[in-house]
Amino acid sequence: MKIIVTGGAGFIGSNFIFHMLREHPEDRVICLDKLTYAGNLSTLESVMDRPNFRFVRADICDREAVDQLFHEEKPDAVVNFAAESHVDRSILNPGIFLQTNVLGTQTLMDMCLRHGIGRYHQVSTDEVYGDLPLDRPDLFFTEETPIHTSSPYSASKAGADLLVLAYHRTFGLPATISRCSNNYGPYHFPEKLIPLMIANALNDKPLPVYGEGKNVRDWLYVEDHCRAIDLIIRRGRAGEVYNVGGHNEMRNIDIVRLICRELGKPESLIVHVEDRKGHDMRYAIDPTKIHRELGWLPETKFADGIQKTIRWYLDNRQWWEKIISGEYMNYYEKMYGSREILPG
Ligand code: NAD
Ligand code: DAU
């Protein structure tokens, strides 16, 4: 199989490339990535010289570049991870989210149709379903849950999903969609909750919890997500949506306390700051369909996954220290500098 992975220099895309090269050494993997602030070529260093791997720097919105690459490589499948992925940034600047997440998806699908590509896979998110109330632990997102978004990020991802389903129905594009819950693991950009808290704690900096920290996320180790996508592109049915999640719901404040404990840092580092606008309360995935149809189950328990992740950040300090010493700090100042600190 020859597969183009867009956004492969980011968190999940890079883990997916490692997974594919390890599990399917006979496959050829081509990574197309614009290298935005979130893309990091050093992440792919260990595979750069493999004969069955190629990296191309390009924007998924650039029709000519995508056309040229599809013409050269004639891939069997395209897996689209490329996106603006951070909710807080979408509140600061929604435009780039629509550009990349919606129009970029359209460009990729147009080129898949033009080149007769056998499978297009859209990596989507559970955030397209909106949120669930904290007092209804019996409710979960299924593939039939209506789309109901809260942030410009989730609205852009939902827009892309609807377009994918429309391209399938109208033009017969052989497309699948996966909607996964929150991932964690190596190479997670330190603007997101878990790596940000690990990096700040290691530097004895304040740990900024939004509001009371009672919001719940459903955490999945990144390798389990990669296995799910691998299964879907090989055995999933075109036109179908697959939810991916491991029934591992945790409150933000409990995650941050756990990180303090694991690193031997005092909880007095925790500060409660002004809440995220439109902040979703709870995400919780029902993964019955992917289990029943494709036999997928998560393999990494949270207790093990979080230890592996913390170990990785301890062992790979230069990877994240380079990030937090550069341009990213301008964003950090903008996001947290003027944020009101809540009492208590
Ligand atoms: P990330 O921000 O770490 O990486 C995104 C990558 O896309 C970067 O390498 C970036 O350079 C690249 N990119 C951005 N715009 C591009 C463009 N216009 N053209 C080409 N490349 C571009 O994101 P992530 O956390 O790895 O998420 C990957 C995908 O998975 C996204 O589509 C996201 O919506 C989805 N997702 C993420 C999670 C999560 O918990 N992180 C959960 C479910 C779904
Ligand atoms: O559910 C899947 C989604 O998970 C993906 O689609 C997104 O791409 C990914 O970024 C993630 O979105 P979240 O908004 O859930 O992740 P984030 O790490 O930004 O925040 C997790 C929770 O932690 C959320 O409730 C907000 C809170 N938070 C986050 C940050 C960065 C804090 O309390 N403090 C912080 O500094």
Side-chain angles (χ1 to χ4, degrees):
M1 193 172 187
K2 200 190 274 189
I3 171 166
I4 289 186
V5 177
T6 68
F11 165 44
I12 310 175
S14 60
N15 277 284
F16 182 72
I17 288 172
F18 301 146
H19 166 94
M20 295 299 277
L21 291 173
R22 192 177 57 242
E23 299 299 320
H24 308 285
E26 69 289 358
D27 285 1
R28 176 168 167 78
V29 177
I30 303 105
C31 171
L32 179 155
D33 198 296
K34 183 181 174 182
L35 297 181
T36 66
Y37 79 94
N40 197 333
L41 210 44
S42 75
T43 301
L44 295 173
E45 210 175 275
S46 65
V47 297
M48 225 38 148
D49 293 333
R50 297 266 186 103
N52 58 340
F53 177 74
R54 177 183 175 194
F55 177 82
V56 175
R57 185 174 191 179
D59 187 332
I60 57 166
C61 302
D62 181 342
R63 302 183 87 81
E64 258 177 54
V66 175
D67 191 23
Q68 171 73 21
L69 184 64
F70 285 16
H71 175 73
E72 281 172 23
E73 293 286 352
K74 301 185 177 34
D76 302 295
V78 172
V79 181
N80 181 26
F81 291 91
E84 289 295 331
S85 68
H86 193 33
V87 173
D88 291 328
R89 286 181 190 258
S90 81
I91 297 166
L92 289 177
N93 176 19
I96 183 71
F97 284 73
L98 301 181
Q99 177 71 24
T100 291
N101 299 0
V102 182
L103 298 178
T105 297
Q106 183 212 357
T107 303
L108 290 173
M109 293 193 298
D110 282 344
M111 293 308 145
C112 283
L113 287 172
R114 174 176 292 176
H115 293 270
I117 288 162
R119 173 58 60 96
Y120 175 81
H121 182 74
Q122 177 74 359
V123 181
S124 185
T125 167
D126 59 357
E127 295 199 16
V128 301
Y129 299 122
D131 63 352
L132 296 164
L134 290 182
D135 61 355
R136 289 294 307 273
D138 55 313
L139 296 180
F140 296 92
F141 297 137
T142 73
E143 289 79 1
E144 275 70 50
T145 301
I147 301 277
H148 185 83
T149 58
S150 312
S151 70
Y153 162 70
S154 55
S156 70
K157 293 296 289 185
D161 281 14
L162 294 175
L163 206 55
V164 172
L165 295 173
Y167 266 56
H168 170 69
R169 176 155 175 170
T170 306
F171 305 121
L173 180 75
T176 41
I177 297 175
S178 51
R179 294 182 179 147
C180 189
S181 59
N182 286 61
N183 286 210
Y184 68 100
Y187 301 106
H188 204 180
F189 195 88
E191 67 187 348
K192 307 284 169 55
L193 180 76
I194 289 181
L196 184 141
M197 296 300 166
I198 296 173
N200 281 14
L202 285 172
N203 287 329
D204 298 306
K205 281 180 60 181
L207 308 177
V209 170
Y210 296 163
E212 292 183 83
K214 289 183 177 162
N215 307 64
V216 168
R217 296 293 182 267
D218 184 358
W219 294 95
L220 184 72
Y221 194 63
V222 62
E223 174 62 16
D224 281 325
H225 186 190
C226 296
R227 273 194 309 107
I229 295 172
D230 187 3
L231 276 173
I232 296 168
I233 60 176
R234 282 161 212 275
R235 305 215 326 260
R237 290 180 291 136
E240 293 295 317
V241 173
Y242 294 90
N243 282 356
V244 184
H247 284 302
N248 181 58
E249 292 179 48
M250 294 192 60
R251 298 192 311 171
N252 295 339
I253 187 69
D254 296 328
I255 299 251
V256 179
R257 285 186 181 138
L258 185 151
I259 290 171
C260 287
R261 258 197 324 276
E262 290 291 329
L263 291 175
K265 298 289 179 180
E267 286 189 11
S268 56
L269 285 176
I270 297 174
V271 281
H272 290 269
V273 298
E274 195 181 330
D275 212 348
R276 174 184 277 175
K277 289 187 174 69
H279 199 172
D280 281 335
M281 283 317 298
R282 170 177 170 248
Y283 303 146
I285 281 277
D286 175 353
T288 306
K289 178 174 172 179
I290 189 167
H291 175 58
R292 201 184 50 234
E293 285 193 19
L294 305 178
W296 179 89
L297 278 176
E299 285 179 357
T300 301
K301 290 197 183 73
F302 187 77
D304 301 330
I306 194 70
Q307 293 224 347
K308 271 203 268 185
T309 303
I310 291 175
R311 187 75 258 154
W312 189 88
Y313 280 86
L314 284 167
D315 292 344
N316 291 275
R317 272 191 98 116
Q318 86 278 34
W319 183 87
W320 56 268
E321 273 177 348
K322 221 164 99 195
I323 293 170
I324 63 175
S325 64
E327 175 58 22
Y328 164 69
M329 280 326 277
N330 296 336
Y331 160 82
Y332 195 86
E333 188 46 39
K334 216 191 248 174
M335 179 55 62
Y336 297 96
S338 60
R339 227 173 173 121
E340 191 195 341
I341 297 184
L342 303 173

